[in-house]
Amino acid sequence: MSNPILISLKIYLEQYCCDFFSKKQIDTIFLGGGFTRDESINFEYKRDLISQYYKSVDWESPVIIPKLNQVIETILYSIHLPDDAKNNFRKTLSDIGFKFDVNRVIYQPIIPNNSLFISQFPVGLPFGKPKPEFAVQIDRGSQKLKFEWKNGIGIIDFNVYPDLTYQKLAQNFNLHLGTTDTSLRRALRDMNQTEYETNFFLHYAKTFNMANKNIPILIPQAWIQWHSQSKKYLNPTSSLNINDIYRVDFVAFWKNKKFAIFIDDISHYATRKHNQEIWLASEEEYSQNIQQARKLMKEGWFVIRFSNWEIKQKELLDKAMIDLQQIIVFS
């Protein structure tokens, strides 16, 4: 599925159904929309059940639109759903372009780019080493969540599509190139967590003249799936999964696509015992990383991985820059 709007809607519907409906109710919702599944299988988890329904349709075909409309209408007519949950559901879809006549979907739009980022990151995308925090703010008589500003944290809460460049980031922070953007350049450098990430970032910035050219900016330490609970309190059946990736080393947004870029150290494929210097290859560690990559790809991210080993050697680092340029496709 190449349409980023449908990818976003697909993810949102999955999470919403997992949060508010039982497996039996999910069956009713998707069967009523014309989705199918192998009824001989008893799925233990809701996400696996929904995934089976998703696999039954062609997401590249126009026929997916009326099916999704029917799913949305079934959700809104559900007697099991509280009114506030319906209102939030309707508001989220309205924000990305849907229109309703009571609970009937009357319009399926081609969602504009300025709504896509909102649907993917409803309260913005924080970046930086410190863990972000939420603040509750009053907005026209109701409460809404915002990321709270703190030292070492930046927040992207504007439209990044189709392309996010350094110039666009500076402009949205009300900074002017060459005069008031020095603090932004320094902050982006200092947000990198390791010396290898810093070297990768600076080499990219210098190689492609990131501050002045029309190329994608690398956003360091992006909290793409942040939530308030610690991982030890999560479980695989909740909408907030213990295996969710909180933060990635870099993200980039280019030509309506989103890229997650990782700089892997030895701990991504090896382990060592306490107080020992020797690293041993670990299938478990390696498996966790490739599972995370697959999860991100299912959520519409293009995943790119580099290693510390490449960054240590200039010849390999130069080649990594060329590879990154060719994968993201910029000149």
Side-chain angles (χ1 to χ4, degrees), residues 135-152:
V136 179
Q137 296 185 346
I138 303 299
D139 181 34
R140 288 173 289 186
S142 63
Q143 293 183 341
K144 68 177 183 179
L145 293 175
K146 295 279 288 185
F147 283 115
E148 195 171 49
W149 288 95
K150 60 164 62 172
N151 289 335

Side-chain angles (χ1 to χ4, degrees), residues 44-106:
E44 183 178 359
Y45 300 122
K46 296 177 185 179
R47 290 189 185 277
D48 293 335
L49 174 62
I50 295 171
S51 178
Q52 179 72 205
Y53 280 122
Y54 280 169
K55 290 177 182 178
S56 73
V57 295
D58 181 1
W59 289 83
E60 303 291 345
S61 171
V63 300
I64 189 62
I65 301 303
K67 291 179 182 290
L68 290 171
N69 284 348
Q70 185 59 53
V71 166
I72 292 168
E73 290 183 10
T74 303
I75 290 173
L76 289 171
Y77 276 109
S78 172
I79 62 174
H80 305 285
L81 200 61
D83 288 341
D84 59 343
K86 288 184 181 181
N87 291 336
N88 289 335
F89 181 72
R90 191 183 292 107
K91 182 181 184 306
T92 298
L93 293 182
S94 296
D95 287 344
I96 60 176
F98 284 86
K99 294 181 180 179
F100 300 91
D101 178 7
V102 189
N103 287 336
R104 187 171 67 85
V105 181
I106 61 172

Side-chain angles (χ1 to χ4, degrees), residues 15-16 22 26 39 67 71 89 92 116 124 132 150 155 186 198 209 211 217 222 230 247 253 273 275 288 303 311 319:
Q15 179 169 326
Y16 192 88
S22 67
I26 290 172
E39 296 187 14
K67 291 179 182 290
V71 166
F89 181 72
T92 298
L116 175 57
K150 60 164 62 172
I155 300 172
R186 184 168 55 250
T198 301
N209 195 7
I217 180 177
S230 300
R247 182 179 64 181
F253 299 91
K273 294 183 179 180
N275 293 330
Q288 288 178 358
V303 180
I311 299 171
K319 184 178 183 303

Side-chain angles (χ1 to χ4, degrees), residues 5 32 48 63 85 89 96 114 155 160 168 171 176 188 193 198 211 214 223 229 233 263-264 313:
I5 309 302
D48 293 335
V63 300
F89 181 72
I96 60 176
N114 61 353
I155 300 172
V160 303
K168 186 174 182 179
Q171 179 183 1
H176 300 284
L188 289 171
Q193 190 170 34
T198 301
N214 186 42
W223 295 81
Q229 295 190 56
Y233 295 114
I263 310 299
D264 294 341
Q313 305 173 67

Side-chain angles (χ1 to χ4, degrees), residues 165-167 181 184-190 192 196-220 250 261 317-318 320-322 324-325 330-331:
T165 63
Y166 175 85
Q167 298 95 314
D181 71 321
L184 176 60
R185 299 186 190 209
R186 184 168 55 250
L188 289 171
R189 179 198 66 201
D190 293 343
N192 291 282
Y196 298 102
E197 292 166 17
T198 301
N199 291 343
F200 185 89
F201 177 83
L202 293 177
H203 197 72
Y204 175 89
K206 181 179 180 180
T207 299
F208 300 111
N209 195 7
M210 183 180 74
N212 301 297
K213 297 293 186 179
N214 186 42
I215 67 165
I217 180 177
L218 300 186
I219 302 295
F250 300 102
I261 302 165
L317 180 55
D318 288 340
M321 293 294 114
I322 296 173
L324 185 61
Q325 180 184 31
F330 65 90
S331 56

Side-chain angles (χ1 to χ4, degrees), residues 212-256:
N212 301 297
K213 297 293 186 179
N214 186 42
I215 67 165
I217 180 177
L218 300 186
I219 302 295
Q221 302 303 313
W223 295 81
I224 63 172
Q225 292 180 316
W226 182 87
H227 45 74
S228 57
Q229 295 190 56
S230 300
K231 288 191 175 185
K232 65 181 179 179
Y233 295 114
L234 304 179
N235 63 76
T237 60
S238 72
S239 60
L240 301 177
N241 197 305
I242 194 170
N243 293 320
D244 280 353
I245 301 171
Y246 283 179
R247 182 179 64 181
V248 299
D249 298 329
F250 300 102
V251 296
F253 299 91
W254 198 249
K255 298 190 184 303
N256 287 319

